[in-house]
Amino acid sequence: MVPDAEPRTAKGADRVAARQQEIAALEAVEQRLLWLSASMVDHANRVRPNPSGMKVGGHQASSASMTSIMTALWFHALRPQDRVSVKPHASPVLHAVNHLLGELDESYLTTLRTFGGLQSYPSRSKDPDPVDYSTGSVGIGATAPLWGALARRFVEARFGGAGTGRQYSLLGDAELDEGAIWEAVQDPMVPRLGEAVWVVDLNRQSLDRVVPGIAAERLQGMFAAAGWQVITLKYGYLLEKLFTRPGGDSLRARIDAMGNPEYQRLLRCAPERLRERLPGTGSTAAPIAGLIATLDDAELTSALRNLGGHDIHALTDAFDSVDDTRPTVIFAYTIKGRGLPVEGHPQNHSSLLTGDQMTALAERLGTDPVRPWARFPEGSPEASLCTRTAERLRRPAHPLTSPPAVPADLGRPAPRGTGTTQQALGRVLLDLTRRAPEAAEAIVTVSPDVSSSTNLGGWLNKVGVWSPVDVPDWFADDSETILHWRERPTGQHMELGIAETNLAGLLGELGATWSRWGRPLLPIGVVYDPFVNRALEPWSFGMYAGGQSILVGTPSGVTLAPEGGAHQSVTTPSLGIEQPGCVAYEPAFAIDTEWCLLSALGNLGRPDGSSAYLRLSTRPVDQSAAAVPTDPAARERRRRQAVAGAYRLRQHERPVVTIAAMGALVPEALAAADRLAALGHGADVVCVASADLLFRALLARRGQSDGPAWILDQVFPAERATPLVTVVDGHPHTLAFLGTIRNTPVTTLGVTRFGQSGSIEDVYRHHGIDTDSVVTAALDLVG
């Protein structure tokens, strides 16, 4: 409803009339989105054949609370350069919007939650219509546009072509319970992001109940304290006008003080019962009763439901008032299930309308249940609005730029002396700036305040820290400063706060720039390996959305012995195998690290690309033990085997046992082989660089997946099949499958308990992964 206005001129009258027409068309679109979203869910659950009898679901009520917000955003405020993340349970509304804009054929509207059809939640990679951000993991989709804003700024500052644009997040109020939300809000980078706009669907319901105390004022204060603009849309124009009449102040005070459950219950009351309960008790009861006595039943029920999040006029005004100099959050009060028979019911989250209810809804909304997917009649104001909106939102194509060529081998002689795989990471990055500058230009590193402790210092000194503006380095002339923190728009390292979830979210968005703006980056994120588990959810979701990046976990394992159990990672080696969209490596030597990292970089920024996880160590290892061939052809064969998963590091004339080791425990495997040989038992030693790729090769050989399997025959040939001992600085099941390659007996050694502080020797002995344990396991196998 448009508020009353008194235009003083004909021009003013024209503006008011145009505004009224716009609001009327927007309200009609909102009603059509309500129908379409409810119908998609209804068809999926009640109309489409369902042989299994299992409930399909689809969240009609959660969609209904978002239709007004999404109408005002798409059909009034949105621009082609803007991006939107839609809360998971409102996916039917997103598809309905795309249908009205001509971006989704009606044939898809019957495929919600079918195989190959519309996904349960918005998906960039799987849905057939435009989706800016994949959502589904609560909190992650809400924060993704923040990292998308940073990724866009980085691309624009360094390469151009990404432009500007707001980043909208439409999220449910329950998502504000997620820690990822507040870790993102508090990150030092975020207050600079004036393009970020969050809209909170404040329907005050969770999955099971009406939330008794949503504490909206406290939440608003938290955002304000973090530097955000806070806009609150509690009441619509109809209620605001009612509040100006006699008794209005009392009505406002009554509703303001009312608990959420009581308000929701009033929504379920018939008009006569509502007139009894709404005034309440006390001195304000009489003025409220007098006020609502002047309203007919329709006016009364409409007024009670006229919250800001369902008032198109209030919503469009709010979007027009956004301050682009700082992040904005709009708290839009809504009713879950608004406009449906289940509105306001505590258990409406997964409820489904009956056939009779759908028929009644169609009649009330003026739609044809026989033609449920019909667009607006051609020539109608609503159809014109849809056409204008589609034309306004048409985005320019961004042709994909091929990622820079990454060399497979930098050609350096194999390192000698002692060194660590973590040190190799920093050295390879610096080498790329000299030997492959185009590839180095596309690299962007990210860390959560651990750059210096993960050997990125040299790289950071070389390329600088990214910042949207130049920042003075006040320690530039300090001779004792080793790490130079030069912040500038040309920098290639991005430093966030300490939260790993933020790093992983940014990593996913940096890895998606190839698909958003046609500009592939080579993003590398570095975290302490014990905290990969924290980063895994947003990183996994980033990969699901098409982001391709490299996550480096270092230092790792119980090899970090003095640090104690809290900093010793156990499960990460197997996580690397289990994570889709990612190749996991755990190299043992510096040269293997170089080869694996280069291979991983070469797989980024392309439609058929993939992410990678490198688990690196701070254990100094004798690099000559790698025995890298000096012959160029033999060296290349070793490199190909390493990046394919493994190579034979030691080969005995008459082996009776094979020791397969990964990462930091290769020295124990070699020492065990020497001792076994002294006892008269020949042992082969296999250095596993990627258990992940070996497992994939095994599946391919069995015909369970596509891909090469040649590495198995080269590293585990049938003629050298012997009992097998596996050893890894992580859970032993990581390498347990190796015994199935040739169906040989296998003993798996690894870490199954929380770590302990101590020397490496003591800790290895405690977990049974020391040389003695390897020798004992081998002797048990060979008898």
Side-chain angles (χ1 to χ4, degrees), residues 470-486:
D470 284 298
V471 178
D473 179 9
W474 297 108
F475 288 86
D477 59 348
D478 188 334
S479 60
E480 296 183 6
T481 298
I482 299 175
L483 185 66
H484 298 288
W485 205 259
R486 302 186 183 96

Side-chain angles (χ1 to χ4, degrees), residues 146-170:
L146 297 177
W147 317 128
L150 280 175
R152 183 202 59 75
R153 288 192 180 200
F154 181 86
V155 170
E156 179 64 22
R158 285 190 50 79
F159 306 104
T164 59
R166 286 182 182 171
Q167 298 277 346
Y168 290 94
S169 293
L170 309 182

Side-chain angles (χ1 to χ4, degrees), residues 66 276 328 335 413 449 489 519 568 578 602 620 648 687:
M66 288 294 297
E276 296 174 7
T328 297
I335 299 169
D449 198 32
R519 170 60 65 174
Q568 295 173 4
E578 296 153 9
R648 301 184 72 79
C687 180

Side-chain angles (χ1 to χ4, degrees), residues 253-429:
R254 164 81 168 122
I255 298 177
D256 280 343
M258 189 181 296
N260 296 331
E262 183 182 3
Y263 175 79
Q264 301 280 101
R265 182 63 187 90
L266 291 179
L267 296 174
R268 310 287 300 169
C269 290
E272 62 275 11
R273 184 64 173 149
L274 180 59
R275 294 180 188 277
E276 296 174 7
R277 299 179 66 161
L278 180 56
T281 59
S283 60
T284 61
I288 295 173
L291 173 60
I292 64 177
T294 66
L295 307 176
D296 62 30
D297 287 350
E299 289 173 328
L300 176 60
T301 55
S302 294
L304 186 66
R305 288 158 173 77
N306 184 228
L307 298 183
H310 295 300
D311 190 294
I312 294 294
H313 196 288
L315 285 163
T316 53
D317 282 353
F319 286 128
D320 291 343
S321 66
V322 167
D323 175 9
D324 285 324
T325 65
R326 54 181 172 151
T328 297
V329 59
I330 300 173
F331 284 91
Y333 281 72
T334 61
I335 299 169
K336 194 165 186 175
R338 176 72 163 90
L340 302 179
V342 296
E343 67 177 1
H345 193 280
Q347 282 84 52
N348 67 8
H349 182 81
S350 299
S351 63
L352 298 169
L353 270 60
T354 65
D356 290 342
Q357 288 174 326
M358 287 297 298
T359 300
L361 182 66
E363 182 177 351
R364 182 169 65 81
L365 297 179
T367 57
D368 183 358
V370 178
R371 298 178 61 245
W373 319 120
R375 295 186 175 97
F376 290 107
E378 188 173 349
S380 67
E382 296 81 11
S384 298
L385 175 60
C386 292
T387 299
R388 293 196 307 271
T389 301
E391 292 173 351
R392 185 184 79 241
L393 296 182
R394 190 163 291 116
R395 293 172 179 170
H398 290 284
L400 176 61
T401 301
S402 297
V406 178
D409 189 339
L410 294 177
R412 291 170 55 107
R416 298 190 178 278
T418 59
T420 74
T421 54
Q422 179 178 289
Q423 290 170 343
L425 167 69
R427 192 189 69 238
V428 172
L429 293 178

Side-chain angles (χ1 to χ4, degrees), residues 18 46 63 83 96-98 114 139 161 202 219 234 285 291 358 416 482 490 527 532 571 585 596 632 642 651:
R46 196 178 57 82
S63 293
R83 298 291 185 271
V97 168
N98 286 331
T114 63
L202 200 67
L219 294 170
K234 188 167 186 179
L291 173 60
M358 287 297 298
R416 298 190 178 278
I482 299 175
T490 57
V527 300
V532 164
T571 61
Y585 293 103
C596 294
Q651 188 160 299

Side-chain angles (χ1 to χ4, degrees), residues 441-734:
E441 279 289 310
I443 291 175
V444 52
T445 54
V446 189
S447 71
D449 198 32
V450 294
S451 301
S452 56
S453 57
T454 54
N455 281 91
L456 289 182
W459 162 259
L460 193 148
N461 287 342
K462 176 75 173 179
V463 302
V465 178
W466 181 83
S467 170
V469 295
D470 284 298
V471 178
D473 179 9
W474 297 108
F475 288 86
D477 59 348
D478 188 334
S479 60
E480 296 183 6
T481 298
I482 299 175
L483 185 66
H484 298 288
W485 205 259
R486 302 186 183 96
E487 298 182 73
R488 53 201 179 193
T490 57
Q492 291 179 246
H493 176 77
M494 301 181 77
E495 187 94 346
L496 300 181
I498 202 167
E500 287 83 6
T501 54
N502 292 345
L503 171 136
L506 176 56
L507 203 58
E509 289 306 315
L510 290 168
T513 59
W514 66 273
S515 59
R516 294 196 189 281
W517 301 289
R519 170 60 65 174
L521 298 176
L522 307 180
I524 302 173
V526 183
V527 300
Y528 287 166
D529 195 67
F531 308 131
V532 164
N533 289 285
R534 291 185 191 171
L536 189 59
E537 183 190 7
W539 192 50
S540 176
F541 224 77
M543 286 185 274
Y544 174 74
Q548 298 168 13
S549 58
I550 297 172
L551 183 64
V552 177
T554 181
S556 64
V558 301
T559 298
L560 195 61
E563 291 283 345
H567 278 68
Q568 295 173 4
S569 52
V570 175
T571 61
T572 49
S574 57
L575 288 177
I577 299 177
E578 296 153 9
Q579 176 60 50
C582 165
V583 176
Y585 293 103
E586 186 166 348
F589 300 102
I591 191 66
D592 297 346
T593 305
E594 173 187 314
W595 290 335
C596 294
L597 179 60
L598 294 176
S599 178
L601 287 169
N603 280 325
L604 299 179
R606 58 184 73 246
D608 60 345
S610 71
S611 295
Y613 161 52
L614 271 71
R615 189 174 190 251
L616 305 183
S617 174
T618 50
R619 182 186 185 185
V621 172
D622 178 8
Q623 298 300 306
S624 65
V628 180
T630 56
D631 179 81
R635 175 185 169 112
E636 172 59 14
R637 182 174 185 268
R638 166 69 70 84
R639 186 201 65 80
R640 288 182 64 249
Q641 290 179 336
V643 299
Y647 56 88
R648 301 184 72 79
L649 183 58
R650 182 80 60 85
Q651 188 160 299
H652 196 274
E653 292 181 2
R654 294 182 298 278
V656 295
V657 68
T658 299
I659 305 171
M662 191 161 73
L665 291 182
V666 168
E668 275 61 40
L670 292 172
D674 290 339
R675 287 173 52 181
L676 287 167
L679 295 172
H681 302 289
D684 286 348
V685 176
V686 171
C687 180
V688 176
S690 174
D692 182 11
L693 291 178
L694 293 182
F695 186 70
R696 296 187 197 192
L698 184 60
L699 293 181
R701 193 178 72 178
R702 293 171 177 168
Q704 294 175 283
S705 69
D706 296 327
W710 59 266
I711 188 66
L712 301 180
D713 291 327
Q714 290 195 8
V715 180
F716 298 96
E719 65 273 14
R720 300 188 71 86
T722 63
L724 185 65
V725 177
T726 67
V727 59
V728 60
D729 187 5
H731 201 281
H733 84 251
T734 305

